[in-house]
Amino acid sequence: ALIEIIPQKEPELPDIIGVKEAANLTGYTVNSIYDLVADGKIPHLPKYGRKHLRFSRKVLIKWQMEL
């Protein structure tokens, strides 16, 4: 009898990420991420509340490919 092997899909990662995830994704330090945001050099979403920065994983990946 043949057994069909069905490849399992990897779970999709959430698109909206925080500063630590953005640092891990880009290779920058958390402090560098804050500096890039302050200088307007990295795309980010409007602040959530008073101090929570959010990023789009897809936009950051595209941004890195364009550097």
Side-chain angles (χ1 to χ4, degrees):
L2 291 174
I3 299 173
E4 185 178 350
I5 298 173
I6 301 169
Q8 291 194 345
K9 254 181 139 179
E10 298 228 3
E12 273 194 42
L13 297 170
D15 185 51
I16 306 302
I17 59 174
V19 178
K20 287 181 184 177
E21 295 95 336
N24 287 335
L25 180 67
T26 61
Y28 289 105
T29 65
V30 170
N31 285 340
S32 293
I33 295 289
Y34 282 115
D35 290 342
L36 290 167
V37 168
D39 293 341
K41 294 182 178 178
I42 189 171
H44 63 91
L45 300 173
K47 285 190 177 181
Y48 176 76
R50 297 188 89 184
K51 55 183 172 178
H52 295 289
L53 279 174
R54 296 287 181 245
F55 301 85
S56 163
R57 181 184 306 277
K58 292 174 190 167
V59 172
L60 282 183
I61 290 169
K62 184 178 175 188
W63 172 76
Q64 280 199 291
M65 290 172 34
E66 293 172 354
L67 288 179

